[in-house]
Amino acid sequence: MMTQCLILGPEFVGKTLLIKAIKRLHSGIEETKYATLIPQATQPTVGTNMITLPTPQGAITLKEYGGSMAPLWPKSLIDADMLIYVVDSSNNTQISAATVLLLETLSYEAVNGKPILLFFNKTDLKGPLTLDEFINIMRVRDLKMKYNDLFTMMSGSCLKEEGIKEVLEWIQKH
């Protein structure tokens, strides 16, 4: 059985680093060896990045769509089994656009009944807003009420691989 997880979010939020960190954790590559695989500066993904994680229950495909590909997200959501939406928690200038894009994505019928993970990335960087302020601005409590058990929020740092184990466990659970 093949499971597909879409990883979406605006540009420069760390989606590519997220899938690389998940792959590293899943495959058990030693952290010291992996440090050389992480680019110090990444470019926005134009198109998609995709990795497949073999598991005893079947393969899990992680498919990242670049932020510039947002107009194509609705069609991709149809085949997805779950969704991870990534936000840069250190970038307060992007929060309005990230919120609008998230709410628009969640309004698509193809999202109904699918698990959703909102991942606040870059918590290792200090921004002018606290994580609690981001949560309030993005109406996370309202989203949790609307989607109940289907909606989960996590935070961490893809670059420092904080919170990645929990993200991988969430993916495997769903």
Side-chain angles (χ1 to χ4, degrees):
M1 181 173 123
M2 176 80 75
T3 301
Q4 186 179 101
C5 175
L6 282 188
I7 300 177
L8 308 174
E11 292 180 344
F12 296 110
V13 297
K15 298 179 299 292
T16 300
L17 286 180
L18 177 61
I19 63 171
K20 287 180 179 183
I22 290 169
K23 181 179 182 180
R24 187 211 62 78
L25 181 64
H26 182 267
S27 62
I29 297 173
E30 293 177 27
E31 193 168 338
T32 54
K33 291 181 184 174
Y34 183 67
T36 61
L37 300 176
I38 299 177
Q40 295 305 310
T42 59
Q43 298 298 317
T45 299
V46 178
T48 62
N49 281 324
M50 189 166 54
I51 64 166
T52 300
L53 308 174
T55 71
Q57 298 78 23
I60 300 171
T61 299
L62 303 179
K63 193 170 188 180
E64 172 215 344
Y65 276 82
S68 63
M69 303 294 290
L72 301 178
W73 294 357
K75 191 171 186 175
S76 303
L77 288 164
I78 294 168
D79 296 327
D81 298 295
M82 66 189 86
L83 166 66
I84 298 176
Y85 188 86
V86 184
V87 177
D88 178 349
S89 66
S90 71
N91 186 347
N92 69 313
T93 60
Q94 191 184 59
I95 191 167
S96 295
T99 301
V100 169
L101 197 53
L102 171 63
L103 296 175
E104 180 182 340
T105 301
L106 295 178
S107 73
Y108 297 124
E109 191 175 317
V111 175
N112 292 342
K114 295 179 181 177
I116 304 155
L117 172 61
L118 177 60
F119 184 72
F120 287 96
N121 187 26
K122 302 185 185 182
T123 56
D124 56 317
L125 302 176
K126 299 295 179 216
L129 296 177
T130 66
L131 188 57
D132 283 338
E133 290 170 319
F134 264 85
I135 288 168
N136 287 330
I137 292 169
M138 294 191 75
R139 301 175 41 201
V140 171
R141 288 174 187 83
D142 293 339
L143 293 172
K144 284 184 103 137
M145 286 177 55
K146 179 177 180 178
Y147 294 99
N148 297 313
D149 293 337
L150 292 174
F151 188 86
T152 305
M153 186 205 79
M154 294 181 188
S155 62
S157 168
C158 294
L159 189 61
K160 292 190 175 184
E161 298 190 8
E162 299 167 350
I164 304 305
K165 180 180 178 191
E166 292 79 4
V167 172
L168 178 57
E169 289 170 353
W170 181 88
I171 292 168
Q172 292 171 330
K173 177 182 166 188
H174 294 93

